[in-house]
Amino acid sequence: MNIIRCIVLGIVQGIGEFLPISSSAHLILVPYLLGWKESSMAFDIALHFGTLMAVLVIYFKDWWNLFIGACKNLFKKEDTTEGKMFWYLVVATIPAALVGLLLDDVIEGFFRNQIWAIALLLALMGVFIYAGDKWASKHYRKKEVPFEKITLKQAFLVGCSQAFAVFPGFSRSGTTILAGRLMGLSKEAITKFTFLMSVPIIAGATVLKIGELQMTSEVIAGIVTSFVVGVISIKFLLRYIKKHDFKAFGWYRIVLGVLVLGYFVGKNFLG
C-alpha cells in the first residue's frame, strides 16, 4: 500500500472514528469505491491506534482524574465521582470486548466483504440516529442527565450498544450516542462518555492485532494522519454539539448508504 492511500485512509479514520458515521464502514467502502485493494483489519487497527492517541491527548486530564479516583476508592475507600465513573467505564467496556473476541474471525472472514450489508447498516442506523435524537430532544427537554449523574445501568446499556459496533456500518460512536440519548443523557454527557469509553476497547484491539502488522513508513504515515485528524474531529464535534443535534449525521448515513447500495446493485446486477 503506497503512502498516499495510507494518508487518505488515515484521514477517513480520523473523521469516522469520532463522528457517528462508522469509521470501519468507511475504511472498507472508500477502497471499494476507488477501486483499491482492501486493507487488512490489522492495518485498520493501526489507524485506530492513531485515534486512540488523539483521545488520550484531549482527555488525558480526565483519564488521570478517573484513575486517581479509582485508586482512592480501592485503597482509601473514598467515594468520588471520578472513581465511580472509572468503574462504570470498566463495566461498559466488557460487552464489546467479549463480542469482539468471539466474533473477530467471523467479521474479518465474512462481514467485511458484504458491501450491501455495510451500506444497509449505514442507512438503517442513520434513520435510527435521526429519529432517536429528535425524539430524545423533545422527550427529555430540560431534564437531560449530565455526565456526573450517569448511572451504572445506563453505563452498562451504553456498553452493550457498543458491542454492535464490531459490525461495520453500525458505528461505535453512533450506537453509543443513540443509546445514551434514548436514555436521557445530554449530548455533552454521552459524547464525553463515548470518547472515554473508546480508550480501553481500542487499546485492547490494538494489542491483539498489532503483531500482525509491519510498521513501515507508509503505515506510520497513516497512524500520524489519523492522530492529527482525530484531534481535529474531537474538537469539532465538541463545539458542534453545543448548538446542534446529531440529525445531520443521520441524514449523511442515509444518503451514503442508499448511494452505495445503488452503486453495488448497478455494478453487480445491471452492469
Side-chain angles (χ1 to χ4, degrees), residues 20-21 34 36 61 66 74 99 107 113 118 143 186 205 213 216 224:
I21 59 175
L34 295 178
W36 296 350
K61 184 177 180 180
L66 290 169
L74 277 176
V99 172
I107 295 166
N113 298 317
I118 294 172
K143 54 181 179 179
S186 70
L213 191 68
T216 63
V224 171

Side-chain angles (χ1 to χ4, degrees), residues 28-266:
I28 295 171
L29 292 178
V30 168
Y32 171 76
L33 294 173
L34 295 178
W36 296 350
K37 181 180 178 181
E38 183 184 343
S39 60
S40 66
M41 184 176 281
F43 176 73
D44 291 357
I45 294 298
L47 296 182
H48 278 72
F49 177 73
T51 47
L52 169 64
M53 293 297 101
V55 177
L56 289 175
V57 166
I58 299 295
Y59 286 102
F60 176 80
K61 184 177 180 180
D62 293 89
W63 264 111
W64 178 254
N65 290 334
L66 290 169
F67 178 73
I68 294 299
C71 289
K72 288 180 177 179
N73 177 253
L74 277 176
F75 302 113
K76 296 183 178 181
K77 306 303 178 183
E78 293 184 17
D79 293 327
T80 64
T81 299
E82 291 79 8
K84 178 191 72 173
M85 295 309 301
F86 178 90
W87 297 117
Y88 284 7
L89 286 164
V90 171
V91 170
T93 301
I94 294 173
L98 291 175
V99 172
L101 286 171
L102 293 173
L103 298 181
D104 179 69
D105 292 337
V106 174
I107 295 166
E108 186 158 17
F110 172 75
F111 206 86
R112 283 171 64 88
N113 298 317
Q114 306 305 312
I115 299 298
W116 65 271
I118 294 172
L120 183 62
L121 287 178
L122 271 174
L124 286 175
M125 275 301 297
V127 173
F128 294 150
I129 289 172
Y130 177 88
D133 188 54
K134 184 177 181 179
W135 177 83
S137 296
K138 293 181 179 179
H139 187 75
Y140 295 107
R141 188 184 300 274
K142 296 183 179 181
K143 54 181 179 179
E144 293 181 330
V145 179
F147 179 78
E148 296 77 12
K149 299 296 183 181
I150 293 175
T151 65
L152 178 60
K153 178 182 177 181
Q154 289 169 334
F156 178 71
L157 290 176
V158 169
C160 289
S161 73
Q162 182 179 222
F164 287 100
V166 297
F167 300 100
F170 265 105
S171 169
R172 188 188 58 77
S173 60
T175 54
T176 55
I177 286 173
L178 174 61
R181 295 293 288 143
L182 291 177
M183 290 187 289
L185 275 61
S186 70
K187 294 178 293 183
E188 294 80 5
I190 188 55
T191 300
K192 181 176 181 178
F193 193 83
T194 291
F195 288 167
L196 291 172
M197 189 170 54
S198 71
V199 171
I201 202 71
I202 297 176
T206 301
V207 169
L208 291 175
K209 286 289 184 180
I210 203 68
E212 302 176 14
L213 191 68
Q214 293 182 339
M215 296 300 285
T216 63
S217 58
E218 291 82 4
V219 172
I220 293 173
I223 293 174
V224 171
T225 303
S226 68
F227 164 73
V228 173
V229 177
V231 169
I232 295 171
S233 296
I234 292 174
K235 291 184 176 181
F236 163 77
L237 188 60
L238 292 177
R239 288 196 303 269
Y240 180 85
I241 60 175
K242 290 180 179 180
K243 296 182 179 180
H244 305 87
D245 52 35
F246 295 102
K247 293 195 287 289
F249 301 109
W251 273 116
Y252 168 78
R253 294 174 62 110
I254 293 168
V255 172
L256 179 62
V258 170
L259 290 176
V260 172
L261 275 173
Y263 178 79
F264 176 82
V265 170

